[in-house]
Amino acid sequence: MKKILGILGLLIFVCSLTAIINPNFLGATNLFNTLRWTSLFGIISIGVAFVIITGGIDLSVGSTIGLVGTTLAYLLTVRHVSTPLAILIVLGLSLLIGLFHGLLITKVKLQPFIVTLCGLLLYRGAARFISNDQSLGFGSAFAGLRELAIGKVPIIGSVTLPLPLLIMTGIGIIAAVFLHRTIYGRYLLAIGRNETAVRFSGIRTDRIVILAYVVCSLLAGFGGILFALDVNSVQPSGLGEAYELYAIAGAVLGGCSLRGGEGSITGVIIGAAVLRVLYNAINILGIPTMLEYSIIGFVLLAGAIADEVVKRYAAKRKAARELLADDSVRSDEASA
Amino acid sequence: MPSFGDAPLLEVHGLSKRFPGVAALRNVSLTLQRSEVLAVIGENGAGKSTLMKILAGVQTPDAGEIRLNGQTVRIDSVHTAEKLGIALIHQELNLADNLTVAANVFLGREPLRFGLIDTKRMERETLPLLAQVGLDCSPATLVQDLSLGCQQMVEIAKALSVGARVLIMDEPTSSLSQHETDQLYAVVKDLRQRGVSIVYISHRLGEVTELADRVVVLRDGQNAGELSRVEITHEAMIRLMVGRDLSQLYQRPSHTLGEPLLEAYKLRTQANPRHALSLAVRAGEIVGIAGLVGAGRTDLLRALFGIDRALGGTIRVEGKKVELSGPHDAIEAGMALVPEDRKQQGLVLGMTVRPNLSLASLLRDSSRGLLNHAVENEITATMIRDLNIRTPGPEQTAQFLSGGNQQKIVLGKWLAMKPRILLLDEPTRGIDVGAKQEIYRLLDNLAAQGVAILFVSSEMEEIIRLADRAIVMHEGRITGELDRAACSEEAIMRLATGNL
């Protein structure tokens, strides 16, 4: 809970600062786009969070996005497959990718880093091969489908919200219920801290870990569809490139420990938002975009340091307080 | 005894230390003379380990004074403690097991030659240290190739190499075989002769009687009393530890046995595939598996619980053959296992008491995969009460509880499943007398209710007191069975060492 408040504070701070320096930050279009992008990155961050909570990692998210986006464009524009079937195929593809990772990690006992690093290379290559490395545009033929990524939902009067925001909220709620209200969520958190003890308690930990990788790849695949529709023209070598890093950074900023066993969906979504707002701020404040990575790296590092310092300070304060309470009890006993 | 002035070697005065939610130490004092073996005993959570960690610089006290040779010292790090000549031999050994014996002894102080590690010199200088601790192996041996007992000797050699004058040993025999324990006793006595002072923490009163010149007893983080050499008796120690007379050490009432609940026939474990193991445990029966460390007892339990796949043979529960593809199948059949290593296998240390107690029963109590908080809270409250788990509350992190209370959580997790067959691997390792008696009583009650109990123990006293029947293993095979009348330390030892 404290972690969520901390990251929420950071989000409000960055938003306020940006808005004060350049009020255009609060412009309707800018806010709408920032929310939209936050939602897209939020979806893939939630997926990665599942894997990170088990104590694993998925480096292949960006390439999965690239492969799914490219395949979707290829099926729709080159092979003229029907839209529902094309979507079904690419979601099935991402499910298989997750299953592939999960099986290699649990049954063959490979390290998640290695498996998904190879995935990162494999799927990027596959995307470029399928498309012959040519960019594929959706053109204007799929305007209806594109609404998924760029649609506006009227709320009150002229206020509209991006459709992806509603999609992400839905996914977020399901994910949060799964994590905190179901036994499988409990297993995930416990596995992240001590897989052996969970296995010795009769839980088929392999299945839970596989499930986490499937959820991660599936959400990456779903994100891939949205990212592809958002740009409307898929560049096989570029779509989703380095997005795994944004997803991981969002999850970690949002309170997931890379050691596993910790994390909340709300935190992850706010974490993703911080990254998008930073990106937006760099653009509208006229900061050289060359510095983008440096600034994001700096904020992540500052967050990690602050988290650690606050944790230590709180532990010290608590111990000191209890020692004091203890002494007063003892002097009471003595005077009685 | 040589004299170095009047001040004792080590004086501790008014030491206090708090952790979130617990006062680990309150105003604790003790003194340690030169060439003395001082035993520090106490129940779980009495503060022994915290005291030792403070002396060794692992933790810093909130209040209090430490004097060495009459001089006030501040021990703020392990490094400082080492410089002052204080070394801690941890309960869990702290060796890099992928390095050689010599490399471990000289870790952090490697002799250099042209800027590179001088391995030859390191190994040469390690030899006399190994002789001092009675370890007969080459300094070039990898630590992972040594038995636990030998690894401990390497730790002691390492401490001696930095000129330790105070050696703190935290439960040094908890995972040693009888032979290794005897060896350790000899080393401790020899070190005392050489002027080294030893603070010895143990739950085993027998070894305290054997080794200690003086005993300091802690209770609830405070000094509870002190016994000089002539005053050391089991009764006196127990009285100070629990604050009352323990009227009678455990006496097992006799009771009737039912049908066989668990049968293994010609079971072959992965660790010892050459030997076929057969055994049966009846309803209401407590069977102990005795033997030395490495006799294959844990492997047998693991195979029975489906953790390791058996390579051959059959397992029957209530006469019905069961196929075990994992612990879930064993649990389905009504089994439970309290594993050997409670920190690695028994508990999720970073989680609180509540999710640990409910971990095994979550699935049974859920509907459509949703957590049932009401049942979970009820199980937690019941187990904390029934097993007398001492915790500030259900939301205390398991890591911060003492060993005995942690073990009770592991037991409680399984009792919530109401198993008909209970397997336990070293159920009271590193646990104090009070909690031990509680666990014995609990197991006896379970047996009286018709539960079949099969436990592994390296403590012969425990086997003799608890078991209706003892199965003894040696190098992977069952070398004999002893009924209650025939079960004595000599008989167990003969079978455990293969002297048939």
Side-chain angles (χ1 to χ4, degrees):
Chain A
M1 201 59 223
K2 269 186 192 146
K3 262 192 174 166
I4 295 184
L5 288 180
I7 176 77
L8 190 62
L10 179 63
L11 178 62
I12 293 170
F13 173 75
V14 176
C15 286
S16 312
L17 195 68
T18 315
I20 290 167
I21 300 174
N22 187 348
N24 284 338
F25 175 71
L26 296 175
T29 315
N30 188 58
L31 273 187
F32 183 90
N33 282 328
T34 306
L35 276 177
R36 195 163 56 87
W37 278 81
T38 294
S39 309
L40 295 182
F41 279 98
I43 289 170
I44 60 172
S45 290
I46 291 171
V48 172
F50 270 76
V51 164
I52 291 179
I53 284 172
T54 66
I57 194 81
D58 191 342
L59 299 175
S60 73
V61 168
S63 293
T64 304
I65 289 170
L67 179 59
V68 163
T70 308
T71 310
L72 180 71
Y74 172 78
L75 289 175
L76 289 177
T77 60
V78 181
R79 305 298 294 256
H80 304 291
V81 174
S82 78
T83 307
L85 183 62
I87 288 189
L88 212 62
I89 290 174
V90 293
L91 286 181
L93 174 68
S94 46
L95 189 145
L96 285 178
I97 287 175
L99 197 61
F100 176 60
H101 293 164
L103 287 171
L104 285 176
I105 288 160
T106 58
K107 303 298 180 191
V108 191
K109 306 212 182 303
L110 298 183
Q111 287 176 357
F113 192 100
I114 302 295
V115 170
T116 58
L117 178 67
C118 296
L120 178 150
L121 300 169
L122 272 171
Y123 315 139
R124 180 63 63 193
R128 294 176 63 173
F129 179 75
I130 289 173
S131 58
N132 209 10
D133 221 3
Q134 301 296 309
S135 42
L136 296 161
F138 289 102
S140 52
F142 298 95
L145 185 59
R146 275 201 82 200
E147 287 296 306
L148 266 183
I150 59 169
K152 297 179 178 185
V153 181
I155 301 296
I156 323 160
S158 62
V159 180
T160 59
L161 287 178
L163 182 57
L165 180 66
L166 300 189
I167 295 174
M168 179 204 66
T169 309
I171 291 175
I173 290 171
I174 295 170
V177 167
F178 182 86
L179 200 57
H180 299 296
R181 293 271 180 272
T182 72
I183 58 173
Y184 308 108
R186 175 72 63 79
Y187 293 161
L188 269 180
L189 288 160
I191 286 171
R193 291 192 187 266
N194 187 349
E195 201 247 332
T196 311
V198 179
R199 190 158 46 85
F200 274 53
S201 297
I203 290 132
R204 302 190 197 198
T205 52
D206 284 2
R207 293 183 180 186
I208 307 285
V209 171
I210 292 171
L211 179 71
Y213 282 91
V214 167
V215 168
C216 180
S217 295
L218 207 51
L219 286 181
F222 185 66
I225 296 174
L226 299 185
F227 278 115
L229 293 170
D230 177 73
V231 290
N232 205 32
S233 165
V234 174
Q235 188 110 57
S237 60
L239 180 70
E241 204 185 1
Y243 281 12
E244 62 278 348
L245 299 181
Y246 285 105
I248 293 166
V252 170
L253 205 51
C256 292
S257 162
L258 283 180
R259 279 187 283 271
E262 248 181 287
S264 78
I265 301 301
T266 320
V268 170
I269 291 171
I270 301 173
V274 169
L275 293 177
R276 287 333 297 172
V277 171
L278 277 178
Y279 178 81
N280 184 235
I282 290 162
N283 278 306
I284 67 171
L285 296 184
I287 300 167
T289 48
M290 291 89 88
L291 279 175
E292 185 203 332
Y293 280 154
S294 303
I295 288 172
I296 290 175
F298 175 76
V299 169
L300 265 174
L301 198 57
I305 292 170
D307 183 47
E308 200 54 42
V309 169
V310 167
K311 219 187 300 175
R312 270 187 218 172
Y313 179 71
K316 244 187 196 163
R317 279 269 307 261
K318 196 172 173 201
R321 218 170 32 239
E322 288 178 357
L323 187 69
L324 218 64
D326 230 39
D327 284 343
S328 64
V329 169
R330 224 177 316 142
S331 58
D332 287 352
E333 282 167 359
S335 62
Chain B
M1 201 192 301
S3 162
F4 299 87
D6 294 335
L9 178 58
L10 180 73
E11 281 173 282
V12 170
H13 192 73
L15 218 56
S16 292
K17 174 76 182 175
R18 276 215 74 108
F19 293 112
V22 242
L25 286 181
R26 286 189 288 171
N27 206 12
V28 168
S29 303
L30 65 78
T31 58
L32 176 67
Q33 306 294 339
R34 290 180 184 80
S35 288
E36 182 182 40
V37 176
L38 174 70
V40 175
I41 62 173
E43 291 199 89
N44 291 320
K48 300 165 305 230
S49 293
T50 309
L51 176 60
M52 299 312 130
K53 282 181 186 159
I54 288 173
L55 290 179
V58 180
Q59 281 161 357
T60 50
D62 296 328
E65 193 186 14
I66 300 169
R67 267 184 257 167
L68 199 67
N69 288 321
Q71 304 255 315
T72 302
V73 290
R74 235 180 86 80
I75 308 176
D76 50 10
S77 71
V78 179
H79 187 66
T80 318
E82 212 168 75
K83 274 205 294 202
L84 294 169
I86 304 174
L88 172 66
I89 312 294
H90 278 275
Q91 213 166 341
E92 282 92 23
L93 297 176
N94 271 330
L95 295 172
D97 61 7
N98 54 337
L99 300 181
T100 65
V101 170
N104 269 286
V105 168
F106 281 93
L107 196 64
R109 305 171 292 113
E110 292 82 358
L112 298 182
R113 198 176 135 90
F114 309 123
L116 300 174
I117 294 177
D118 187 349
T119 310
K120 274 213 182 105
R121 190 175 138 206
M122 202 161 74
E123 290 176 356
R124 203 169 53 234
E125 291 179 9
T126 303
L127 268 175
L129 293 165
L130 295 184
Q132 262 193 58
V133 297
L135 190 58
D136 182 25
C137 74
S138 154
T141 316
L142 287 182
V143 166
Q144 63 196 12
D145 296 336
L146 296 175
S147 72
L148 267 180
C150 294
Q151 292 189 9
Q152 193 148 36
M153 295 302 169
V154 175
E155 280 251 36
I156 296 172
K158 184 176 166 184
L160 294 177
S161 78
V162 295
R165 289 174 293 171
V166 178
L167 212 54
I168 304 169
M169 306 176 90
D170 192 357
E171 303 258 3
T173 59
S174 63
S175 43
L176 299 192
S177 66
Q178 192 60 46
H179 177 65
E180 291 171 326
T181 302
D182 289 341
Q183 238 175 3
L184 183 81
Y185 290 174
V187 169
V188 167
K189 287 174 182 167
D190 182 56
L191 289 174
R192 172 171 54 189
Q193 289 260 302
R194 295 165 189 261
V196 177
S197 300
I198 289 158
V199 181
Y200 195 93
I201 303 177
S202 179
H203 283 120
R204 299 185 177 175
L205 301 183
E207 64 189 41
V208 171
T209 318
E210 159 115 23
L211 288 175
D213 297 314
R214 204 152 48 84
V215 174
V216 164
V217 186
L218 296 182
R219 185 168 71 232
D220 298 331
Q222 291 170 295
N223 284 92
E226 210 174 302
L227 299 168
S228 64
R229 177 73 212 156
V230 289
E231 295 169 323
I232 300 174
T233 61
H234 277 48
E235 294 72 35
M237 286 190 279
I238 290 173
R239 201 179 316 121
L240 287 175
M241 273 161 65
V242 298
R244 66 193 144 81
D245 278 305
L246 222 63
S247 54
Q248 182 62 49
L249 283 177
Y250 184 77
Q251 276 300 330
R252 183 157 153 65
S254 60
H255 54 256
T256 51
L257 304 181
E259 293 296 304
L261 280 188
L262 175 68
E263 293 163 280
Y265 182 68
K266 293 200 170 168
L267 202 65
R268 290 177 191 274
T269 63
Q270 291 182 6
N272 297 295
R274 285 184 307 123
H275 300 292
L277 306 171
S278 301
L279 61 90
V281 188
R282 295 161 68 179
E285 189 181 29
I286 303 183
V287 176
I289 306 178
L292 303 176
V293 171
R297 301 169 301 167
T298 296
D299 304 299
L300 173 58
L301 286 196
R302 287 172 70 106
L304 287 173
F305 197 59
I307 293 166
D308 301 330
R309 231 171 227 282
L311 296 179
T314 52
I315 298 170
R316 288 173 190 278
V317 173
E318 288 182 282
K320 276 196 282 285
K321 193 176 164 197
V322 289
E323 290 292 337
L324 304 177
S325 70
H328 52 274
D329 287 330
I331 292 166
E332 181 92 355
M335 286 196 244
L337 169 72
V338 174
E340 185 182 23
D341 182 343
R342 62 177 160 266
K343 290 183 178 175
Q344 293 301 320
Q345 304 165 337
L347 290 170
V348 184
L349 279 180
M351 288 187 130
T352 65
V353 175
R354 176 180 47 82
N356 270 297
L357 277 172
S358 64
L359 190 56
S361 48
L362 280 181
L363 180 63
R364 180 197 64 194
D365 297 332
S366 69
S367 65
R368 290 185 204 157
L370 289 177
L371 288 171
N372 188 335
H373 291 289
V375 175
E376 187 181 19
N377 290 332
E378 196 191 308
I379 286 177
T380 309
T382 311
M383 289 305 160
I384 289 178
R385 193 186 58 231
D386 289 0
L387 298 181
N388 190 21
I389 300 172
R390 272 182 256 164
T391 167
E395 299 309 323
Q396 173 75 335
T397 310
Q399 189 174 5
F400 296 128
L401 296 178
S402 65
N405 286 307
Q406 289 180 346
Q407 189 72 337
K408 286 180 185 176
I409 296 176
V410 181
L411 263 165
K413 169 173 78 178
W414 290 118
L415 296 188
M417 292 296 283
K418 301 195 169 50
R420 286 170 301 160
I421 299 161
L422 182 58
L423 312 174
L424 306 102
D425 200 346
E426 303 284 2
T428 66
R429 172 182 288 174
I431 285 181
D432 65 71
V433 209
K436 244 183 200 176
Q437 300 305 323
E438 285 180 68
I439 287 177
Y440 292 167
R441 216 162 294 141
L442 183 81
L443 294 181
D444 189 45
N445 283 339
L446 288 170
Q449 291 163 28
V451 175
I453 297 174
L454 181 65
F455 75 99
V456 163
S457 178
S458 295
E459 281 185 58
M460 286 192 278
E461 282 175 53
E462 185 162 289
I463 299 264
I464 292 167
R465 272 192 211 146
L466 202 53
D468 293 312
R469 189 157 51 89
I471 293 172
V472 189
M473 291 184 70
H474 171 69
E475 290 182 353
R477 67 205 161 95
I478 294 176
T479 46
E481 279 196 27
L482 300 163
D483 62 18
R484 211 163 167 69
C487 197
S488 67
E489 296 210 8
E490 298 72 46
I492 294 175
M493 216 45 215
R494 217 172 24 247
L495 293 171
T497 50
N499 295 321
L500 299 175

